[in-house]
């Protein structure tokens, strides 16, 4: 079964450092999502792409977060500088509307120390 | 605009007894509805989905959910709880094929008592 690939699986970084996460969606899935899940809470959308275009980044803290999907395939989410409050699970998902489903990756667990 | 409300933040049941996790939704269109499960330190796993076909949806691990448009509900049930069912469950509403927005509920933590 096709999967959404994310790396790294775990990341520990010091406060004020830069960190980046990578996501490779299922082939053919035009829509890609980045979610942040703080421990004990539900996932919250950070950014949604349709192909290479940003559809929704209203909840993305743009002073420190950036996301790109240059060729409309894989995507990178960056945080610079990282803050203690950024410690969370970062989840990537992709969807194909004609299949009417979407798939989540295993996530990247970020710990900022 | 869409929204989803999970009515219980925690549910405790004894092993072998029925499970009911409640979810209400709001959507301007005919929504797609999903239930996901998340075990500690794990990713999200799809349990089942409703996409305007049969209103009673059967999923993995013995779970099922019924779409009730008149009640705007999509409650998750299982006849007999197992210890391995202890996890966080998320109800999700989406307008896939329209704006592709995915909205999560806040989650329900299911505890299984021995």
């Amino acid at each position: 079964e096709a999967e959404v690939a994310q790396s790294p699986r775990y990341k520990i970084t010091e406060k004020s450092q830069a960190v980046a996460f990578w996501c490779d969606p299922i082939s053919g899935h035009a829509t890609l999502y980045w979610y942040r899940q703080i421990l004990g809470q539900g996932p919250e959308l950070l950014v949604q792409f349709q192909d290479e275009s940003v559809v929704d980044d209203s909840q993305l803290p743009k002073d420190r977060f950036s996301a790109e999907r240059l060729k409309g395939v894989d995507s990178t989410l960056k945080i610079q500088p990282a803050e203690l409050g950024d410690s969370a699970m970062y989840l990537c998902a992709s969807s194909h509307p004609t299949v009417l489903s979407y798939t989540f990756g295993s996530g990247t667990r970020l710990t900022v120390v | 605009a869409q929204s989803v409300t999970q009515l219980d933040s925690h549910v405790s049941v004894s092993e072998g007894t029925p499970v009911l996790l409640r979810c209400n939704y709001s959507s301007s269109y005919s929504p797609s509805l999903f239930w996901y499960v998340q075990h500690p330190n794990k990713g999200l796993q799809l349990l089942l989905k409703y996409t305007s076909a049969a209103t009673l949806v059967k999923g993995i691990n013995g779970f099922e959910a019924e779409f009730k448009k008149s009640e705007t509900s999509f409650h998750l049930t299982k006849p007999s709880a197992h210890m391995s069912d202890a996890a966080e469950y998320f109800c999700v509403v989406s307008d896939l094929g329209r704006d592709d927005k995915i909205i999560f509920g806040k989650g329900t933590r299911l505890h299984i008592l021995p």
Side-chain angles (χ1 to χ4, degrees), chain B residues 33-65:
Chain B
L33 293 158
F34 307 79
W35 276 98
Y36 278 78
V37 61
Q38 188 176 38
H39 289 90
N41 297 313
K42 300 291 186 182
L44 290 159
Q45 181 183 19
L46 179 66
L47 279 178
L48 49 80
K49 65 179 181 180
Y50 166 78
T51 55
S52 75
T55 57
L56 183 61
V57 182
K58 294 187 182 299
I60 62 172
N61 301 334
F63 285 93
E64 63 181 38

mmCIF file of all heavy atoms in Angstrom, chain B residues 33-65:
data_model
loop_
_atom_site.group_PDB
_atom_site.id
_atom_site.type_symbol
_atom_site.label_atom_id
_atom_site.label_comp_id
_atom_site.label_asym_id
_atom_site.label_seq_id
_atom_site.Cartn_x
_atom_site.Cartn_y
_atom_site.Cartn_z
ATOM 1 N N LEU B 33 -16.682 11.991 6.005
ATOM 2 C CA LEU B 33 -16.406 11.874 7.441
ATOM 3 C C LEU B 33 -15.497 10.686 7.680
ATOM 4 O O LEU B 33 -15.634 9.641 7.018
ATOM 5 C CB LEU B 33 -17.709 11.709 8.229
ATOM 6 C CG LEU B 33 -18.621 12.933 8.212
ATOM 7 C CD1 LEU B 33 -20.048 12.533 8.510
ATOM 8 C CD2 LEU B 33 -18.137 13.968 9.218
ATOM 9 N N PHE B 34 -14.607 10.853 8.623
ATOM 10 C CA PHE B 34 -13.603 9.834 8.897
ATOM 11 C C PHE B 34 -13.437 9.682 10.406
ATOM 12 O O PHE B 34 -13.671 10.623 11.171
ATOM 13 C CB PHE B 34 -12.243 10.247 8.323
ATOM 14 C CG PHE B 34 -12.250 10.611 6.862
ATOM 15 C CD1 PHE B 34 -12.701 11.854 6.442
ATOM 16 C CD2 PHE B 34 -11.779 9.728 5.908
ATOM 17 C CE1 PHE B 34 -12.704 12.206 5.102
ATOM 18 C CE2 PHE B 34 -11.769 10.070 4.561
ATOM 19 C CZ PHE B 34 -12.238 11.307 4.166
ATOM 20 N N TRP B 35 -13.001 8.515 10.789
ATOM 21 C CA TRP B 35 -12.495 8.281 12.142
ATOM 22 C C TRP B 35 -11.056 7.774 12.011
ATOM 23 O O TRP B 35 -10.789 6.837 11.241
ATOM 24 C CB TRP B 35 -13.322 7.253 12.899
ATOM 25 C CG TRP B 35 -14.540 7.809 13.557
ATOM 26 C CD1 TRP B 35 -15.824 7.788 13.099
ATOM 27 C CD2 TRP B 35 -14.587 8.463 14.832
ATOM 28 N NE1 TRP B 35 -16.671 8.392 13.988
ATOM 29 C CE2 TRP B 35 -15.940 8.815 15.065
ATOM 30 C CE3 TRP B 35 -13.635 8.791 15.809
ATOM 31 C CZ2 TRP B 35 -16.353 9.468 16.227
ATOM 32 C CZ3 TRP B 35 -14.043 9.434 16.955
ATOM 33 C CH2 TRP B 35 -15.393 9.776 17.163
ATOM 34 N N TYR B 36 -10.188 8.411 12.802
ATOM 35 C CA TYR B 36 -8.793 7.993 12.873
ATOM 36 C C TYR B 36 -8.472 7.579 14.310
ATOM 37 O O TYR B 36 -9.034 8.131 15.268
ATOM 38 C CB TYR B 36 -7.854 9.132 12.471
ATOM 39 C CG TYR B 36 -7.681 9.290 10.991
ATOM 40 C CD1 TYR B 36 -8.648 9.915 10.228
ATOM 41 C CD2 TYR B 36 -6.552 8.801 10.340
ATOM 42 C CE1 TYR B 36 -8.499 10.046 8.856
ATOM 43 C CE2 TYR B 36 -6.384 8.938 8.980
ATOM 44 C CZ TYR B 36 -7.355 9.555 8.238
ATOM 45 O OH TYR B 36 -7.202 9.673 6.880
ATOM 46 N N VAL B 37 -7.525 6.673 14.431
ATOM 47 C CA VAL B 37 -7.034 6.260 15.745
ATOM 48 C C VAL B 37 -5.540 6.561 15.822
ATOM 49 O O VAL B 37 -4.820 6.459 14.825
ATOM 50 C CB VAL B 37 -7.308 4.768 16.013
ATOM 51 C CG1 VAL B 37 -6.605 3.881 15.003
ATOM 52 C CG2 VAL B 37 -6.873 4.384 17.426
ATOM 53 N N GLN B 38 -5.132 6.960 17.009
ATOM 54 C CA GLN B 38 -3.715 7.240 17.224
ATOM 55 C C GLN B 38 -3.282 6.604 18.543
ATOM 56 O O GLN B 38 -3.733 7.022 19.609
ATOM 57 C CB GLN B 38 -3.454 8.742 17.248
ATOM 58 C CG GLN B 38 -1.980 9.106 17.278
ATOM 59 C CD GLN B 38 -1.765 10.608 17.200
ATOM 60 O OE1 GLN B 38 -2.512 11.390 17.769
ATOM 61 N NE2 GLN B 38 -0.715 11.022 16.482
ATOM 62 N N HIS B 39 -2.415 5.625 18.445
ATOM 63 C CA HIS B 39 -1.834 5.029 19.635
ATOM 64 C C HIS B 39 -0.653 5.880 20.087
ATOM 65 O O HIS B 39 -0.079 6.631 19.289
ATOM 66 C CB HIS B 39 -1.417 3.593 19.362
ATOM 67 C CG HIS B 39 -2.579 2.671 19.198
ATOM 68 N ND1 HIS B 39 -3.178 2.424 17.987
ATOM 69 C CD2 HIS B 39 -3.277 1.927 20.112
ATOM 70 C CE1 HIS B 39 -4.190 1.593 18.141
ATOM 71 N NE2 HIS B 39 -4.276 1.282 19.418
ATOM 72 N N PRO B 40 -0.294 5.791 21.356
ATOM 73 C CA PRO B 40 0.775 6.650 21.894
ATOM 74 C C PRO B 40 2.032 6.631 21.045
ATOM 75 O O PRO B 40 2.535 5.566 20.682
ATOM 76 C CB PRO B 40 1.011 6.072 23.284
ATOM 77 C CG PRO B 40 -0.307 5.476 23.672
ATOM 78 C CD PRO B 40 -0.878 4.926 22.392
ATOM 79 N N ASN B 41 2.496 7.816 20.712
ATOM 80 C CA ASN B 41 3.732 8.007 19.930
ATOM 81 C C ASN B 41 3.682 7.363 18.559
ATOM 82 O O ASN B 41 4.721 7.013 17.980
ATOM 83 C CB ASN B 41 4.940 7.481 20.700
ATOM 84 C CG ASN B 41 5.164 8.240 21.983
ATOM 85 O OD1 ASN B 41 5.148 9.469 21.998
ATOM 86 N ND2 ASN B 41 5.325 7.525 23.081
ATOM 87 N N LYS B 42 2.486 7.196 18.040
ATOM 88 C CA LYS B 42 2.316 6.633 16.709
ATOM 89 C C LYS B 42 1.609 7.641 15.808
ATOM 90 O O LYS B 42 1.073 8.645 16.267
ATOM 91 C CB LYS B 42 1.488 5.348 16.781
ATOM 92 C CG LYS B 42 2.094 4.250 17.633
ATOM 93 C CD LYS B 42 3.349 3.681 17.001
ATOM 94 C CE LYS B 42 3.853 2.491 17.798
ATOM 95 N NZ LYS B 42 5.110 1.937 17.238
ATOM 96 N N GLY B 43 1.613 7.342 14.509
ATOM 97 C CA GLY B 43 0.912 8.181 13.551
ATOM 98 C C GLY B 43 -0.581 7.905 13.549
ATOM 99 O O GLY B 43 -1.093 7.106 14.324
ATOM 100 N N LEU B 44 -1.287 8.579 12.666
ATOM 101 C CA LEU B 44 -2.736 8.434 12.561
ATOM 102 C C LEU B 44 -3.084 7.286 11.617
ATOM 103 O O LEU B 44 -2.580 7.210 10.505
ATOM 104 C CB LEU B 44 -3.337 9.730 12.026
ATOM 105 C CG LEU B 44 -3.295 10.908 12.990
ATOM 106 C CD1 LEU B 44 -3.425 12.212 12.245
ATOM 107 C CD2 LEU B 44 -4.406 10.771 14.025
ATOM 108 N N GLN B 45 -3.980 6.430 12.086
ATOM 109 C CA GLN B 45 -4.414 5.291 11.283
ATOM 110 C C GLN B 45 -5.896 5.429 10.972
ATOM 111 O O GLN B 45 -6.707 5.650 11.883
ATOM 112 C CB GLN B 45 -4.156 3.974 12.029
ATOM 113 C CG GLN B 45 -4.560 2.736 11.245
ATOM 114 C CD GLN B 45 -4.370 1.455 12.026
ATOM 115 O OE1 GLN B 45 -4.262 1.460 13.248
ATOM 116 N NE2 GLN B 45 -4.332 0.334 11.329
ATOM 117 N N LEU B 46 -6.250 5.294 9.702
ATOM 118 C CA LEU B 46 -7.643 5.391 9.301
ATOM 119 C C LEU B 46 -8.426 4.173 9.772
ATOM 120 O O LEU B 46 -8.058 3.034 9.480
ATOM 121 C CB LEU B 46 -7.741 5.509 7.782
ATOM 122 C CG LEU B 46 -9.144 5.597 7.199
ATOM 123 C CD1 LEU B 46 -9.821 6.906 7.620
ATOM 124 C CD2 LEU B 46 -9.103 5.495 5.678
ATOM 125 N N LEU B 47 -9.501 4.429 10.516
ATOM 126 C CA LEU B 47 -10.395 3.350 10.956
ATOM 127 C C LEU B 47 -11.474 3.087 9.924
ATOM 128 O O LEU B 47 -11.762 1.935 9.587
ATOM 129 C CB LEU B 47 -11.067 3.718 12.276
ATOM 130 C CG LEU B 47 -10.309 3.521 13.570
ATOM 131 C CD1 LEU B 47 -11.160 4.012 14.738
ATOM 132 C CD2 LEU B 47 -9.929 2.067 13.772
ATOM 133 N N LEU B 48 -12.116 4.159 9.472
ATOM 134 C CA LEU B 48 -13.199 4.032 8.505
ATOM 135 C C LEU B 48 -13.514 5.406 7.921
ATOM 136 O O LEU B 48 -13.091 6.422 8.464
ATOM 137 C CB LEU B 48 -14.449 3.427 9.157
ATOM 138 C CG LEU B 48 -14.941 4.021 10.474
ATOM 139 C CD1 LEU B 48 -15.725 5.286 10.265
ATOM 140 C CD2 LEU B 48 -15.789 2.995 11.235
ATOM 141 N N LYS B 49 -14.277 5.389 6.822
ATOM 142 C CA LYS B 49 -14.665 6.645 6.199
ATOM 143 C C LYS B 49 -16.066 6.541 5.612
ATOM 144 O O LYS B 49 -16.506 5.457 5.189
ATOM 145 C CB LYS B 49 -13.675 7.027 5.101
ATOM 146 C CG LYS B 49 -13.654 6.062 3.917
ATOM 147 C CD LYS B 49 -12.659 6.530 2.864
ATOM 148 C CE LYS B 49 -12.648 5.574 1.668
ATOM 149 N NZ LYS B 49 -11.679 5.996 0.622
ATOM 150 N N TYR B 50 -16.763 7.656 5.595
ATOM 151 C CA TYR B 50 -18.059 7.785 4.957
ATOM 152 C C TYR B 50 -17.926 8.801 3.833
ATOM 153 O O TYR B 50 -17.465 9.923 4.054
ATOM 154 C CB TYR B 50 -19.120 8.260 5.951
ATOM 155 C CG TYR B 50 -20.375 8.724 5.261
ATOM 156 C CD1 TYR B 50 -21.297 7.804 4.769
ATOM 157 C CD2 TYR B 50 -20.607 10.079 5.051
ATOM 158 C CE1 TYR B 50 -22.424 8.231 4.099
ATOM 159 C CE2 TYR B 50 -21.737 10.505 4.387
ATOM 160 C CZ TYR B 50 -22.637 9.587 3.902
ATOM 161 O OH TYR B 50 -23.752 10.008 3.226
ATOM 162 N N THR B 51 -18.349 8.371 2.617
ATOM 163 C CA THR B 51 -18.236 9.286 1.485
ATOM 164 C C THR B 51 -19.492 9.228 0.628
ATOM 165 O O THR B 51 -19.414 9.125 -0.583
ATOM 166 C CB THR B 51 -17.000 8.955 0.634
ATOM 167 O OG1 THR B 51 -17.065 7.567 0.242
ATOM 168 C CG2 THR B 51 -15.723 9.197 1.383
ATOM 169 N N SER B 52 -20.652 9.283 1.262
ATOM 170 C CA SER B 52 -21.978 9.378 0.639
ATOM 171 C C SER B 52 -22.462 8.071 0.025
ATOM 172 O O SER B 52 -23.367 8.079 -0.790
ATOM 173 C CB SER B 52 -22.021 10.483 -0.420
ATOM 174 O OG SER B 52 -21.356 10.087 -1.600
ATOM 175 N N ALA B 53 -21.879 6.984 0.425
ATOM 176 C CA ALA B 53 -22.408 5.680 -0.001
ATOM 177 C C ALA B 53 -23.291 5.150 1.142
ATOM 178 O O ALA B 53 -24.150 5.853 1.632
ATOM 179 C CB ALA B 53 -21.276 4.729 -0.345
ATOM 180 N N ALA B 54 -23.092 3.940 1.585
ATOM 181 C CA ALA B 54 -23.892 3.376 2.662
ATOM 182 C C ALA B 54 -23.713 4.169 3.942
ATOM 183 O O ALA B 54 -22.609 4.583 4.278
ATOM 184 C CB ALA B 54 -23.487 1.927 2.905
ATOM 185 N N THR B 55 -24.804 4.396 4.664
ATOM 186 C CA THR B 55 -24.737 5.211 5.875
ATOM 187 C C THR B 55 -24.110 4.467 7.037
ATOM 188 O O THR B 55 -23.600 5.091 7.963
ATOM 189 C CB THR B 55 -26.127 5.702 6.285
ATOM 190 O OG1 THR B 55 -26.982 4.563 6.453
ATOM 191 C CG2 THR B 55 -26.713 6.621 5.226
ATOM 192 N N LEU B 56 -24.152 3.149 7.018
ATOM 193 C CA LEU B 56 -23.461 2.354 8.043
ATOM 194 C C LEU B 56 -22.139 1.901 7.453
ATOM 195 O O LEU B 56 -22.088 1.161 6.481
ATOM 196 C CB LEU B 56 -24.310 1.155 8.465
ATOM 197 C CG LEU B 56 -23.713 0.300 9.578
ATOM 198 C CD1 LEU B 56 -23.521 1.110 10.857
ATOM 199 C CD2 LEU B 56 -24.585 -0.922 9.838
ATOM 200 N N VAL B 57 -21.080 2.362 8.071
ATOM 201 C CA VAL B 57 -19.745 2.107 7.551
ATOM 202 C C VAL B 57 -19.004 1.164 8.485
ATOM 203 O O VAL B 57 -18.948 1.405 9.689
ATOM 204 C CB VAL B 57 -18.954 3.420 7.415
ATOM 205 C CG1 VAL B 57 -17.580 3.145 6.822
ATOM 206 C CG2 VAL B 57 -19.713 4.425 6.576
ATOM 207 N N LYS B 58 -18.451 0.125 7.934
ATOM 208 C CA LYS B 58 -17.652 -0.814 8.724
ATOM 209 C C LYS B 58 -16.175 -0.534 8.486
ATOM 210 O O LYS B 58 -15.740 -0.297 7.351
ATOM 211 C CB LYS B 58 -17.995 -2.245 8.350
ATOM 212 C CG LYS B 58 -19.430 -2.631 8.716
ATOM 213 C CD LYS B 58 -19.703 -4.094 8.492
ATOM 214 C CE LYS B 58 -21.138 -4.444 8.823
ATOM 215 N NZ LYS B 58 -21.475 -4.175 10.235
ATOM 216 N N GLY B 59 -15.423 -0.556 9.572
ATOM 217 C CA GLY B 59 -13.998 -0.277 9.467
ATOM 218 C C GLY B 59 -13.156 -1.438 9.956
ATOM 219 O O GLY B 59 -13.632 -2.563 10.080
ATOM 220 N N ILE B 60 -11.912 -1.100 10.280
ATOM 221 C CA ILE B 60 -11.007 -2.138 10.742
ATOM 222 C C ILE B 60 -11.201 -2.404 12.233
ATOM 223 O O ILE B 60 -11.800 -1.596 12.946
ATOM 224 C CB ILE B 60 -9.535 -1.732 10.463
ATOM 225 C CG1 ILE B 60 -9.175 -0.461 11.219
ATOM 226 C CG2 ILE B 60 -9.307 -1.571 8.965
ATOM 227 C CD1 ILE B 60 -7.694 -0.117 11.154
ATOM 228 N N ASN B 61 -10.717 -3.549 12.669
ATOM 229 C CA ASN B 61 -10.700 -3.909 14.094
ATOM 230 C C ASN B 61 -12.086 -3.931 14.724
ATOM 231 O O ASN B 61 -12.215 -3.703 15.926
ATOM 232 C CB ASN B 61 -9.791 -2.964 14.894
ATOM 233 C CG ASN B 61 -8.363 -2.990 14.390
ATOM 234 O OD1 ASN B 61 -7.909 -3.973 13.809
ATOM 235 N ND2 ASN B 61 -7.643 -1.909 14.590
ATOM 236 N N GLY B 62 -13.122 -4.209 13.941
ATOM 237 C CA GLY B 62 -14.463 -4.361 14.477
ATOM 238 C C GLY B 62 -15.226 -3.073 14.716
ATOM 239 O O GLY B 62 -16.330 -3.086 15.253
ATOM 240 N N PHE B 63 -14.647 -1.934 14.354
ATOM 241 C CA PHE B 63 -15.326 -0.655 14.528
ATOM 242 C C PHE B 63 -16.304 -0.387 13.384
ATOM 243 O O PHE B 63 -16.094 -0.834 12.262
ATOM 244 C CB PHE B 63 -14.316 0.485 14.595
ATOM 245 C CG PHE B 63 -13.578 0.574 15.893
ATOM 246 C CD1 PHE B 63 -12.350 -0.046 16.058
ATOM 247 C CD2 PHE B 63 -14.119 1.275 16.964
ATOM 248 C CE1 PHE B 63 -11.674 0.015 17.258
ATOM 249 C CE2 PHE B 63 -13.447 1.356 18.174
ATOM 250 C CZ PHE B 63 -12.227 0.727 18.321
ATOM 251 N N GLU B 64 -17.352 0.335 13.694
ATOM 252 C CA GLU B 64 -18.258 0.818 12.676
ATOM 253 C C GLU B 64 -18.838 2.160 13.095
ATOM 254 O O GLU B 64 -18.768 2.541 14.269
ATOM 255 C CB GLU B 64 -19.371 -0.187 12.373
ATOM 256 C CG GLU B 64 -20.289 -0.499 13.522
ATOM 257 C CD GLU B 64 -21.332 -1.539 13.104
ATOM 258 O OE1 GLU B 64 -21.004 -2.474 12.343
ATOM 259 O OE2 GLU B 64 -22.485 -1.394 13.539
ATOM 260 N N ALA B 65 -19.385 2.890 12.127
ATOM 261 C CA ALA B 65 -19.967 4.196 12.411
ATOM 262 C C ALA B 65 -21.174 4.383 11.513
ATOM 263 O O ALA B 65 -21.226 3.860 10.390
ATOM 264 C CB ALA B 65 -18.952 5.312 12.170
#
